[in-house]
Amino acid sequence: MTMTELVNPSKIIDGNAVAGQVLEELAKKIKQESLAPHLAAILVGNDPASKIYVNMKQKRASEIGIKTTVFRLNDETSQEKLHQAIHDLNMNSDIDGILLQLPLPSHLNPNRAISIIHPEKDVDGLNYINSGKLHMGLAGFIPCTPLGIIELLKRSGITLEGANAVVVGRSNLVGKPLARLLEQHNATVTLCHSKTKSLEAFTRMADIVVSAVGKPKTITANMVKEGAVVIDVGITRTPNGLVGDVDFPMVALKASKITPVPGGVGPMTIAMLMRNTVTAHVLRRRETQ
Ligand code: NAP
């Protein structure tokens, strides 16, 4: 029996099921509107986890009618060569979205490379133009993991307006954009990080706790209030498989809703990449008509 199976099923937010709904809706849209979205993925080097992630994205895409092309660059690729590859994809009118799979080999600067991606093809929402738009509340591409978390909360019937939300972790990929999105949905947001004093004093007051740290047992049962919603973004690889940041079986006893790892936030991240790709395609098609 897995940890997830030990918990009252009504408490579990099933990311696979919600992502499945989103993907089904997208497949329908692609078919009905005769869309032909095309996603380009750039994979630099031989990181095994990155290869798995790109394969998963390719598989989901093909299941719903999104074409993908993977551009593989070797471990020794220079920053200039990477920029040239991105530039070529920016100019390629057949490509709607560009995904630069992270992490890059250590000699490459990811922020410089991401800043080269054309904002209209930046389906990961990490380019500083899209980041700036998000922070100003303007329409643009939003990073897939925080976007997926908001979608998961909404589709699980969780009220964001007026909720006290605590986000643990302040990366540009997850924590910061998520804090901004929760605030835009009228939650009151506290953003915690490694220098936060007495993390539990904040998490104990929260109606919604999101942990995006990458350290198992960052959130334990004594840190959450009865009835809180707990979203676990963390992924740590252990000999026994993937684990999140949350002490799942103990926290689940107090939480009203909780996401498992795996099968919580992860599938939503991929579903939102697909949604952003379809949006990029529709917007570009409108421009050229
Ligand atoms: P990151 O860039 O390493 O950021 C980690 C954040 O956690 C930092 O802001 C850091 O604070 C904070 N932190 C570290 N130790 C802490 C502590 N003891 N207490 C409170 N905060 C602490 O990581 P990331 O890219 O945001 O990813 C976070 C985790 O989510 C990773 O496990 C990653 O694999 C996972 N992830 C999952 C998905 C998914 O789809 N499921 C997507 C993206 C990421 P400082 O800023 O002070 O250093």
Side-chain angles (χ1 to χ4, degrees), residues 53 144-146 167-176 191-196 199 211-215 218 232-236 243-245 261 264-270:
Y53 286 132
C144 302
T145 302
V167 178
V168 189
R170 56 174 164 182
S171 70
N172 291 329
L173 189 65
V174 188
K176 267 189 225 153
L191 184 55
C192 298
H193 44 76
S194 69
K195 305 292 184 290
T196 299
L199 180 61
S211 185
V213 171
K215 291 180 187 164
T218 298
D232 193 350
V233 187
I235 298 175
T236 304
V243 294
D245 290 350
V261 174
V265 172
M268 289 304 290
T269 298
I270 298 185

Coordinates of all heavy atoms in Angstrom, one line a residue, residues 53 144-146 167-176 191-196 199 211-215 218 232-236 243-245 261 264-270, ligand 1:
Y53 N 11.8 14.3 -18.5 CA 10.8 15.4 -18.5 C 10.4 15.7 -20.0 O 9.3 15.9 -20.3 CB 11.3 16.6 -17.8 CG 11.3 16.5 -16.3 CD1 12.3 16.8 -15.5 CD2 10.1 16.0 -15.7 CE1 12.3 16.7 -14.1 CE2 10.1 15.8 -14.3 CZ 11.2 16.2 -13.5 OH 11.2 16.0 -12.2
C144 N 4.4 27.7 -15.8 CA 3.5 26.5 -15.9 C 3.2 26.0 -14.5 O 2.0 25.6 -14.2 CB 4.0 25.4 -16.7 SG 4.3 26.0 -18.4
T145 N 4.2 25.9 -13.6 CA 3.9 25.3 -12.3 C 2.9 26.2 -11.4 O 1.9 25.7 -11.0 CB 5.2 25.0 -11.5 OG1 6.0 24.1 -12.4 CG2 4.9 24.3 -10.2
P146 N 3.2 27.5 -11.2 CA 2.3 28.3 -10.5 C 0.9 28.4 -11.2 O -0.1 28.3 -10.5 CB 2.9 29.7 -10.4 CG 4.2 29.6 -11.1 CD 4.5 28.2 -11.6
V167 N 3.3 30.9 1.0 CA 4.1 30.2 0.0 C 5.6 30.0 0.6 O 6.2 31.0 1.0 CB 4.2 31.0 -1.3 CG1 5.1 30.3 -2.4 CG2 2.8 31.2 -1.9
V168 N 6.1 28.8 0.6 CA 7.4 28.6 1.1 C 8.3 28.4 -0.1 O 8.1 27.4 -0.8 CB 7.5 27.4 2.1 CG1 8.8 27.4 2.8 CG2 6.4 27.6 3.2
G169 N 9.3 29.2 -0.3 CA 10.2 29.2 -1.5 C 9.9 30.4 -2.3 O 8.8 30.7 -2.6
R170 N 11.0 31.0 -2.8 CA 10.8 32.3 -3.6 C 11.5 32.3 -4.9 O 12.1 33.3 -5.3 CB 11.3 33.5 -2.7 CG 12.7 33.3 -2.2 CD 13.2 34.6 -1.5 NE 14.4 34.3 -0.8 CZ 15.1 35.1 0.0 NH1 14.6 36.4 0.1 NH2 16.2 34.8 0.6
S171 N 11.6 31.1 -5.6 CA 12.3 31.1 -6.8 C 11.5 31.8 -7.9 O 10.2 32.0 -7.8 CB 12.5 29.6 -7.3 OG 11.2 29.0 -7.7
N172 N 12.2 32.2 -9.0 CA 11.5 32.8 -10.1 C 10.6 31.8 -10.9 O 9.6 32.2 -11.5 CB 12.5 33.4 -11.1 CG 13.2 34.6 -10.6 OD1 12.7 35.3 -9.8 ND2 14.5 34.7 -11.0
L173 N 10.9 30.5 -10.7 CA 10.2 29.5 -11.4 C 8.8 29.2 -10.7 O 7.8 28.9 -11.4 CB 11.0 28.2 -11.4 CG 10.6 27.0 -12.2 CD1 10.6 27.3 -13.7 CD2 11.5 25.8 -11.9
V174 N 8.8 29.2 -9.4 CA 7.6 28.8 -8.7 C 7.1 29.8 -7.6 O 6.1 30.4 -7.8 CB 7.8 27.4 -7.9 CG1 6.5 26.9 -7.4 CG2 8.4 26.4 -8.8
G175 N 7.9 30.0 -6.6 CA 7.4 30.8 -5.4 C 7.0 32.2 -5.7 O 5.9 32.6 -5.4
K176 N 7.9 33.0 -6.4 CA 7.5 34.4 -6.6 C 6.3 34.5 -7.5 O 5.4 35.3 -7.2 CB 8.7 35.1 -7.3 CG 9.6 35.8 -6.2 CD 10.6 36.6 -6.9 CE 12.0 36.4 -6.3 NZ 13.1 36.6 -7.2
L191 N 5.2 35.3 1.7 CA 6.2 34.6 1.0 C 7.4 34.3 1.9 O 8.1 35.2 2.4 CB 6.7 35.4 -0.2 CG 7.6 34.8 -1.2 CD1 7.1 33.4 -1.7 CD2 7.9 35.7 -2.4
C192 N 7.6 33.0 2.2 CA 8.7 32.6 3.1 C 9.9 32.0 2.4 O 9.7 31.6 1.2 CB 8.2 31.6 4.1 SG 6.8 32.2 5.2
H193 N 11.0 32.0 3.0 CA 12.2 31.5 2.4 C 13.2 31.0 3.4 O 12.8 30.9 4.6 CB 12.8 32.6 1.5 CG 12.9 33.9 2.2 ND1 13.8 34.2 3.2 CD2 12.0 35.0 2.1 CE1 13.5 35.4 3.7 NE2 12.5 35.9 3.0
S194 N 14.4 30.7 3.0 CA 15.4 30.1 3.9 C 15.8 31.0 5.1 O 16.3 30.5 6.1 CB 16.6 29.6 3.2 OG 17.4 30.7 2.8
K195 N 15.6 32.3 5.0 CA 15.9 33.2 6.0 C 14.7 33.6 6.9 O 14.9 34.4 7.8 CB 16.6 34.5 5.5 CG 17.8 34.2 4.5 CD 19.0 33.7 5.3 CE 20.2 33.5 4.4 NZ 20.1 32.5 3.4
T196 N 13.6 33.0 6.6 CA 12.4 33.3 7.4 C 12.6 32.7 8.9 O 13.0 31.6 9.0 CB 11.2 32.6 6.8 OG1 11.0 33.1 5.5 CG2 9.9 32.8 7.7
L199 N 9.3 29.7 10.7 CA 8.5 29.4 9.6 C 7.1 28.9 10.0 O 6.0 29.3 9.5 CB 9.1 28.3 8.7 CG 8.4 27.8 7.5 CD1 8.2 28.9 6.5 CD2 9.2 26.7 6.8
S211 N 4.3 24.5 -0.4 CA 5.8 24.4 -0.2 C 6.5 24.1 -1.5 O 6.2 23.1 -2.2 CB 6.0 23.3 0.8 OG 7.4 23.2 1.1
A212 N 7.4 24.9 -1.9 CA 8.2 24.8 -3.1 C 9.7 25.0 -2.7 O 10.3 26.0 -3.0 CB 7.8 25.8 -4.1
V213 N 10.2 24.0 -2.0 CA 11.6 24.1 -1.4 C 12.5 23.0 -2.0 O 13.6 23.3 -2.4 CB 11.5 24.0 0.1 CG1 12.9 23.9 0.8 CG2 10.7 25.2 0.7
G214 N 12.1 21.8 -2.0 CA 12.9 20.7 -2.4 C 13.6 20.0 -1.3 O 14.7 19.4 -1.5
K215 N 13.0 20.1 -0.1 CA 13.6 19.3 1.1 C 12.5 18.6 1.8 O 11.5 19.2 2.2 CB 14.3 20.3 2.1 CG 15.5 21.0 1.5 CD 16.1 22.0 2.6 CE 17.2 22.8 2.0 NZ 17.5 24.0 2.8
T218 N 9.9 19.5 5.1 CA 9.9 21.0 5.4 C 8.7 21.3 6.1 O 8.7 22.2 7.0 CB 10.0 21.8 4.0 OG1 11.2 21.4 3.4 CG2 10.0 23.3 4.3
D232 N 1.9 20.5 -2.2 CA 3.3 20.1 -2.2 C 4.0 20.2 -3.6 O 3.6 19.4 -4.4 CB 3.4 18.7 -1.6 CG 4.8 18.3 -1.2 OD1 5.8 19.1 -1.5 OD2 5.0 17.2 -0.6
V233 N 4.9 21.1 -3.8 CA 5.5 21.3 -5.1 C 6.8 20.5 -5.1 O 7.3 20.1 -6.2 CB 5.8 22.8 -5.4 CG1 6.3 23.0 -6.8 CG2 4.5 23.6 -5.2
G234 N 7.4 20.4 -4.0 CA 8.8 19.8 -3.9 C 8.9 18.4 -4.5 O 8.0 17.6 -4.5
I235 N 10.1 18.2 -5.1 CA 10.4 16.8 -5.6 C 11.8 16.5 -5.2 O 12.8 17.2 -5.5 CB 10.3 16.8 -7.2 CG1 8.9 17.1 -7.7 CG2 10.8 15.4 -7.7 CD1 8.8 17.2 -9.2
T236 N 11.9 15.4 -4.4 CA 13.3 14.9 -4.1 C 13.3 13.5 -4.5 O 12.4 12.7 -4.2 CB 13.5 15.1 -2.5 OG1 13.4 16.5 -2.2 CG2 14.9 14.6 -2.1
V243 N 9.8 12.0 -3.4 CA 9.1 12.5 -2.2 C 9.0 14.0 -2.3 O 9.8 14.7 -2.9 CB 9.7 12.1 -0.9 CG1 9.6 10.6 -0.6 CG2 11.1 12.6 -0.7
G244 N 7.9 14.5 -1.7 CA 7.7 16.0 -1.7 C 8.3 16.6 -0.5 O 9.2 16.0 0.2
D245 N 7.9 17.9 -0.2 CA 8.4 18.6 1.0 C 7.6 18.3 2.2 O 8.0 18.7 3.3 CB 8.2 20.1 0.7 CG 9.2 20.6 -0.4 OD1 10.1 19.9 -0.8 OD2 9.0 21.8 -0.8
V261 N 2.7 13.6 -3.8 CA 3.9 13.6 -4.7 C 4.3 12.1 -4.9 O 4.6 11.4 -3.9 CB 5.1 14.4 -4.1 CG1 6.3 14.2 -5.0 CG2 4.7 15.8 -4.0
G264 N 0.5 15.1 -8.0 CA -0.2 16.3 -7.5 C 0.0 17.4 -8.5 O -0.6 17.5 -9.6
V265 N 1.0 18.2 -8.2 CA 1.4 19.4 -9.0 C 2.0 19.1 -10.3 O 1.8 19.7 -11.3 CB 2.3 20.4 -8.2 CG1 2.8 21.5 -9.0 CG2 1.5 20.9 -6.9
G266 N 2.8 18.0 -10.3 CA 3.6 17.7 -11.5 C 2.8 17.6 -12.8 O 3.1 18.2 -13.8
P267 N 1.7 16.7 -12.8 CA 1.0 16.6 -14.0 C 0.3 17.9 -14.5 O 0.2 18.2 -15.7 CB -0.2 15.6 -13.7 CG 0.3 15.0 -12.4 CD 1.3 15.8 -11.7
M268 N 0.0 18.8 -13.5 CA -0.6 20.1 -13.9 C 0.5 21.0 -14.6 O 0.1 21.8 -15.5 CB -1.1 20.9 -12.6 CG -2.3 20.2 -12.0 SD -3.7 20.1 -13.2 CE -4.1 21.8 -13.4
T269 N 1.7 20.9 -14.2 CA 2.8 21.7 -14.9 C 2.8 21.4 -16.4 O 2.8 22.3 -17.2 CB 4.2 21.4 -14.2 OG1 4.1 21.7 -12.8 CG2 5.3 22.1 -14.9
I270 N 2.7 20.1 -16.7 CA 2.8 19.7 -18.1 C 1.5 20.1 -18.8 O 1.5 20.6 -19.9 CB 3.0 18.2 -18.2 CG1 4.3 17.8 -17.6 CG2 2.9 17.7 -19.7 CD1 4.7 16.3 -17.7
Ligands
NAP1 P1 14.9 26.6 -5.8 O1 15.2 27.6 -6.9 O2 16.0 25.8 -5.3 O3 14.2 27.4 -4.6 C1 14.0 26.8 -3.3 C2 13.5 27.9 -2.4 O4 13.3 27.3 -1.1 C3 14.4 29.1 -2.2 O5 13.6 30.3 -2.3 C4 14.9 28.9 -0.8 O6 15.1 30.1 0.0 C5 13.8 28.1 -0.1 N1 14.3 27.3 1.0 C6 15.3 26.5 1.1 N2 15.4 26.0 2.3 C7 14.4 26.4 3.0 C8 13.9 26.2 4.3 N3 14.6 25.4 5.2 N4 12.8 26.9 4.8 C9 12.2 27.7 3.9 N5 12.5 28.0 2.6 C10 13.6 27.3 2.2 O7 13.8 25.6 -6.2 P2 12.5 25.7 -7.2 O8 13.0 25.6 -8.6 O9 11.6 26.7 -6.8 O10 11.9 24.3 -6.9 C11 11.5 23.9 -5.6 C12 11.1 22.4 -5.6 O11 10.0 22.2 -6.4 C13 12.2 21.5 -6.1 O12 12.1 20.3 -5.4 C14 11.8 21.2 -7.5 O13 12.2 20.0 -8.0 C15 10.3 21.3 -7.4 N6 9.5 21.6 -8.6 C16 8.5 20.9 -9.0 C17 7.7 21.2 -10.1 C18 6.6 20.3 -10.4 O14 6.1 20.4 -11.5 N7 6.1 19.5 -9.5 C19 8.1 22.3 -10.9 C20 9.2 23.1 -10.5 C21 9.9 22.7 -9.3 P3 16.2 31.2 -0.5 O15 15.6 32.0 -1.6 O16 16.4 32.0 0.8 O17 17.5 30.4 -0.8

